[in-house]
């Protein structure tokens, strides 16, 4: 894969990181070893990288990759005492949750290796659980959902805890995501499965739950082992009720029907292929429509994310981003489609798409769900927005949050501060902390980003 990167003049690790990340999620079994070979271990390299990771030195994503690959190759007796595992796991997790792009993928894969490591997994599980329980933390979905990478019963216990008594809605959503792969791998013990079913059913009836949590809860119930589904026939009748709810949402334009989705996919694929710089005569990419469909309409966020990553690593990225942007112009009456496109633009979008997303964040008359989706997309898209946009957007939502009883503007402010943090716009974060009109929670979030240890913040971009 590295040779392909060289032949295609691509940035180092851009294909390797995507391959590692996607394979890790879809692999038939969990292993601490990477799928792609990393070459022979070099004598003394583990010790050298451990010293760096345990110090105040910066760590690049490639160094986390080499360290965890070497640890996976020699799973016993490499690190002692146990407290060193704790320090390694805590630093790796801290860098992972604030990284983006290839640096994120490298660290996320490295964290997955630790969670599957026979010795290091308990330290990694504890790091995730402690961070998820910390209410001052600003990133919750990842440290909870990544627990699906460990077969240890403690990982399942922490996921269930965040379903029963979540730190917040984001932590509960992360737990739902983590349960998807847990069920596929059969990680849950029998008592844990008996706890899971009623909790997920209750979530279906919770009017305060995130709107995107209900389809995910339905997906979880459909994935239950057959013998449990029979035993809980009464509970699972609520799946039918949930399906009726989804049909009602479809009629109201809040969920995309299968026929509409397929038509949308065909249109986007056609525009994407037409926008390629070079044609491939007599070649029809049969995988492209599948990936576009998964990227936009799969009920599981992880599947949508990894489909977008695969497309982003392909020559389709720029024409696909243009096709998605064009689709927004005709999809404004289909809220769910607009949200799906904005979520996809988080990964495949670039500088050309930012002006449209910026307008959706501050324009009058935009549906709250669409506005929130735009604020969640802007931090991860390629390119940068000028400080004048950030000042305008923060002021707009700060005023609206004070005047409105709804929660959407507070959610938007949180997403905007997150975007400033993940893009390392420290001057703007400082301005947020000094604006008394900004809600206290958003100012506290800005302080959190500014107070990250330098070795963590500076390493995460490498």
């Amino acid at each position: 894969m590295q040779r392909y990167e060289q032949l295609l003049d691509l940035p180092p690790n851009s294909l390797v990181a995507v391959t590692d990340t996607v394979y890790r999620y879809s692999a038939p079994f969990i292993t601490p070893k990477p799928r792609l070979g990393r070459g022979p271990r070099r004598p003394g390299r583990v010790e050298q990288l451990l010293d760096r990771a345990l110090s105040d030195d910066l760590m690049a994503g490639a160094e986390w990759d080499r360290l965890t690959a070497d640890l996976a190759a020699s799973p016993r007796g490499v690190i002692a005492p146990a407290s060193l595992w704790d320090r390694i796991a805590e630093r790796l997790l801290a860098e992972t949750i604030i990284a983006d792009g290839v640096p994120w993928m490298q660290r996320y894969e490295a964290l997955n290796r630790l969670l599957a490591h026979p010795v290091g997994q308990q330290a990694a599980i504890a790091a995730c659980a402690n961070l998820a329980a910390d209410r001052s933390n600003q990133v919750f979905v990842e440290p909870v959902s990544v627990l699906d990478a460990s077969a240890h019963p403690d990982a399942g216990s922490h996921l269930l805890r965040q379903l029963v008594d979540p730190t917040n809605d984001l932590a509960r959503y992360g737990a739902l995501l983590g349960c998807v792969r847990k069920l596929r791998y059969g990680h849950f013990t029998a008592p844990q499965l008996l706890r899971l079913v009623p909790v997920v059913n209750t979530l279906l009836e919770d009017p305060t739950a995130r709107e995107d949590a209900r389809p995910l809860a339905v997906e979880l119930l459909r994935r239950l082992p057959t013998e449990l589904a029979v035993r809980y026939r009464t509970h699972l009748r609520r799946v039918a009720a949930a399906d009726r709810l989804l049909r009602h949402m479809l009629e109201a334009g809040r969920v995309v029907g299968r026929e509409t989705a397929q038509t949308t996919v065909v249109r986007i694929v056609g525009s994407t292929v037409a926008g390629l710089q070079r044609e491939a005569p007599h070649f029809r990419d049969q995988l492209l429509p599948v990936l576009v469909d998964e990227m936009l309409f799969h009920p599981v966020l992880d599947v949508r994310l990894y489909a977008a990553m695969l497309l982003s690593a392909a020559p389709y990225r720029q024409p696909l981003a243009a096709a998605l942007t064009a689709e927004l112009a005709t999809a404004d009456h289909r809220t769910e489609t607009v949200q799906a496109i904005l979520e996809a633009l988080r990964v495949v979008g670039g500088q050309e798409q930012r002006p449209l997303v910026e307008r959706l964040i501050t324009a009058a008359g935009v549906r709250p769900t669409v506005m929130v989706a735009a604020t969640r997309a802007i931090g991860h898209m390629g390119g940068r927005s000028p400080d004048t946009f950030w000042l305008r957007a923060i002021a707009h939502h700060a005023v609206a949050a004070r005047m409105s009883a709804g929660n959407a503007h507070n959610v938007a402010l949180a997403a905007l501060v997150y975007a400033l943090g993940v893009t390392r716009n420290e001057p703007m974060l400082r301005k947020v902390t000094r604006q008394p009109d900004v809600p206290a929670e958003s100012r506290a979030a800005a302080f959190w980003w500014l107070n990250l240890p330098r070795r963590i913040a500076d390493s995460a971009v490498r």
Side-chain angles (χ1 to χ4, degrees):
M1 195 62 68
Q2 289 176 329
R3 183 59 178 151
Y4 278 116
E5 293 171 351
Q6 295 168 358
L7 289 172
L8 297 171
D9 196 25
L10 296 173
N13 300 308
S14 56
L15 294 182
V16 172
V18 171
T19 303
D20 282 337
T21 303
V22 174
Y23 179 80
R24 175 68 61 179
Y25 183 79
S26 57
F29 55 87
I30 284 180
T31 173
K33 296 182 180 180
R35 172 62 174 171
L36 299 176
R38 294 303 198 267
R41 290 182 59 199
R42 195 176 68 214
R45 182 168 63 188
V46 170
E47 292 75 15
Q48 179 184 3
L49 290 172
L50 280 174
D51 287 343
R52 177 176 288 272
L54 293 167
S55 72
D56 289 333
D57 291 345
L58 300 185
M59 282 283 286
E63 291 171 316
W64 282 115
D65 175 72
R66 287 192 293 267
L67 173 59
T68 53
D70 285 349
L71 291 174
S74 298
R76 300 284 178 182
V78 177
I79 297 181
S83 60
L84 297 188
W85 282 107
D86 295 334
R87 292 170 59 189
I88 293 293
E90 288 165 3
R91 175 170 183 175
L92 175 56
L93 178 61
E95 291 184 18
T96 301
I97 64 171
I98 64 170
D100 193 26
V102 170
W104 176 83
M105 285 186 272
Q106 291 175 315
R107 287 169 172 81
Y108 197 69
E109 164 66 9
L111 183 59
N112 272 261
R113 294 174 195 166
L114 278 191
L115 283 160
H117 195 280
V119 180
Q121 62 180 336
Q122 287 185 278
I125 292 169
C128 292
N130 291 338
L131 188 63
D134 180 2
R135 294 186 181 276
S136 67
N137 171 42
Q138 295 299 311
V139 183
F140 287 93
V141 174
E142 284 170 68
V144 179
S145 65
V146 76
L147 290 169
D148 65 4
S150 175
H152 196 284
D154 286 355
S157 296
H158 288 301
L159 275 179
L160 287 174
R161 188 172 297 117
Q162 287 295 347
L163 282 179
V164 175
D165 184 23
T167 306
N168 53 33
D169 282 347
L170 290 173
R172 181 165 64 175
Y173 186 73
L176 286 171
L177 283 175
C179 287
V180 172
R181 209 159 62 129
K182 283 283 187 188
L183 286 173
R184 172 153 62 91
Y185 287 132
H187 282 179
F188 287 121
T189 64
Q192 287 175 338
L193 281 172
L194 294 178
R195 288 184 64 201
L196 175 65
V197 176
V199 170
V200 175
N201 273 285
T202 301
L203 179 61
L204 287 173
E205 299 177 344
D206 184 356
T208 66
R210 285 168 55 114
E211 189 171 297
D212 54 358
R214 290 194 180 92
L216 187 52
V218 172
E219 186 72 13
L220 280 176
L221 293 178
R222 288 191 175 123
R223 291 172 181 251
L224 286 175
T226 304
E227 63 277 9
L228 191 66
V230 171
R231 181 173 179 178
Y232 274 80
R233 192 186 310 275
T234 301
H235 284 292
L236 295 176
R237 286 179 186 147
R238 295 180 189 173
V239 177
D243 284 337
R244 289 195 295 273
L245 171 65
L246 291 175
R247 284 197 295 273
H248 173 72
M249 293 169 68
L250 171 61
E251 293 169 0
R254 293 164 62 197
V255 172
V256 180
R258 192 66 243 157
E259 184 177 345
T260 301
Q262 290 174 344
T263 302
T264 301
V265 168
V266 168
R267 192 162 51 241
I268 290 173
V269 168
S271 298
T272 300
V273 173
L276 288 171
Q277 292 183 352
R278 292 186 298 175
E279 294 184 2
H282 312 297
F283 172 71
R284 181 182 177 187
D285 190 340
Q286 296 181 339
L287 186 58
L288 177 59
V290 175
L291 289 175
V292 171
D293 185 43
E294 288 185 349
M295 176 184 72
L296 295 176
F297 302 117
H298 199 281
V300 179
L301 172 63
D302 289 333
V303 176
R304 299 196 300 271
L305 174 65
Y306 297 139
M309 286 181 176
L310 282 171
L311 290 167
S312 182
Y316 295 118
R317 177 173 187 167
Q318 290 184 347
L320 174 60
L324 291 171
T325 305
E327 187 68 22
L328 279 177
T330 60
D332 49 42
H333 64 290
R334 301 194 305 274
T335 303
E336 190 75 11
T337 301
V338 173
Q339 290 177 259
I341 291 173
L342 287 168
E343 186 180 271
L345 287 174
R346 291 178 62 182
V347 181
V348 304
Q351 185 65 46
E352 297 82 0
Q353 286 72 48
R354 291 188 79 90
L356 174 59
V357 177
E358 290 171 3
R359 285 198 296 274
L360 292 174
I361 291 173
T362 57
V366 177
R367 294 182 181 89
T369 52
V370 172
M371 176 267 293
V372 168
T375 60
R376 288 173 173 165
I378 196 73
H380 291 282
M381 293 174 60
R384 294 186 72 86
S385 296
D387 285 351
T388 51
F389 159 75
W390 296 113
L391 290 169
R392 185 173 68 254
I394 290 169
H396 170 80
H397 289 291
V399 170
R402 289 199 311 274
M403 298 177 62
S404 171
N407 190 44
H409 295 289
N410 285 313
V411 174
L413 279 170
L416 289 170
V417 172
Y418 170 85
L420 292 173
V422 82
T423 56
R424 306 296 184 272
N425 192 335
E426 294 187 359
M428 277 304 309
L429 287 170
R430 292 190 188 93
K431 288 183 180 179
V432 170
T433 65
R434 294 193 293 265
Q435 292 185 19
D437 291 343
V438 173
E441 289 151 357
S442 295
R443 283 184 276 125
F447 273 117
W448 183 88
W449 284 98
L450 289 169
N451 289 331
L452 288 170
R454 292 315 317 174
R455 66 179 184 130
I456 302 297
D458 293 344
S459 291
V461 300
R462 294 159 61 92

